[in-house]
Amino acid sequence: MPGFRLELDSCEPEPYGSVASVLSPDALQQPADSQFKDTHGRRFSYLRLSITDVCNFRCDYCLPDGYQCGDKTQPLSVDEIRTLASTFAAHGTRKVRITGGEPVLRDDLPEIIRVLKQTPGIETVALTTNGYKINQHIDSWKDAGLDQLNVSIDSLVPKVFHKITGHNRLHEILTGLDRALTLGFGRVKVNAVLLKGHNGDQLNRFLDWVKTTPITLRFIELMETGQNPAYFTEHHLSGESIKQRLLVAGWKQKMRSKDAGPAQEFHHPDYQGSIGLIMPYSKDFCSSCNRLRISALGKLHLCLFGEQGYDLRPLMSDGKQQQLETAIQELLLNKKATHFLHQGNTGAIQHFAQIGG
Ligand code: SAM
């Protein structure tokens, strides 16, 4: 089996060998309580899967100096991803989000989407991207079975966008987004990290956009990581002030379904789009946690702000599926009720590109 190419040539991994591994569809017949769950009553139906930690953007709050090539160990192969997906699906995972780094840098992304979509039990395949070359690739992702698209756009002001990300590509990304909207994806989501001093005063501009554009725009509170404490102190902005402004302007908060993720969503009859707020510093944020994370090298992260990750890669090969399932079930017993961000404890994460956010 051939390897894949990364567009960031200097970080090209070595080609890898074949790992043949597929779980039998019978695994899906497991009893309902085989769903992955923790000791705090939470069930995990959502997997965030990083397929590379390489990123081509230099977002101020994440990789201000750009991606640093280090360990050239290859990220998970398509076969390993297939095994993982089958295992998670057999234990209640219904949605997989592909993330990174920048996942679009892997040229086998359409194949990965296809493999995930063809996994019995997986209902939704989503992708989070910085929008790089979206216009060029979006049709192939759609053909491969992509259901949902999230694009990160921190500012609609080209100069500010450039300053935050290190790239002058806003126009190109918005053109690609328009194309995505014509392809009939479920509602396209746009992520914007709230940044005091950068975009914190641009709410009206974002709202004007949402008025005529049928997207869900999600404001994400900046989170502290091992590498950004000074930046965090200077730029963190609570989503609460946005929430109050929305409510005063007649936006209504949607009721959250039991299995909804942690975003609070708002809608307004005069707007085609809706707004989401992701406020990890708010009370009870973690009580609705429904997700697990796998890094590009195959480590299970029980929490974005948790431990170094548990290496599952040795179990992603033929004949070891039972061990893989057991390992995940046992590791889940260690999942804490909440992160400890309020105490300034960011766990092992240095920046989000490491795990995929
Ligand atoms: N490269 C892709 C992208 O830009 O969407 C996927 C990976 S990126 C790590 C995923 C999301 O995490 C992006 O929306 C990014 O803005 C967000 N992010 C990164 N660092 C963050 C931080 N410290 N606090 C909050 N969000 C962050």
Side-chain angles (χ1 to χ4, degrees), residues 61 99-102 128-130 152 191 193 221-223 228 352:
Y61 49 83
T99 179
E102 177 44 49
T128 299
T129 170
N130 59 27
S152 303
N191 294 340
V193 179
E221 284 181 350
L222 177 66
M223 293 169 241
N228 76 4
F352 278 22

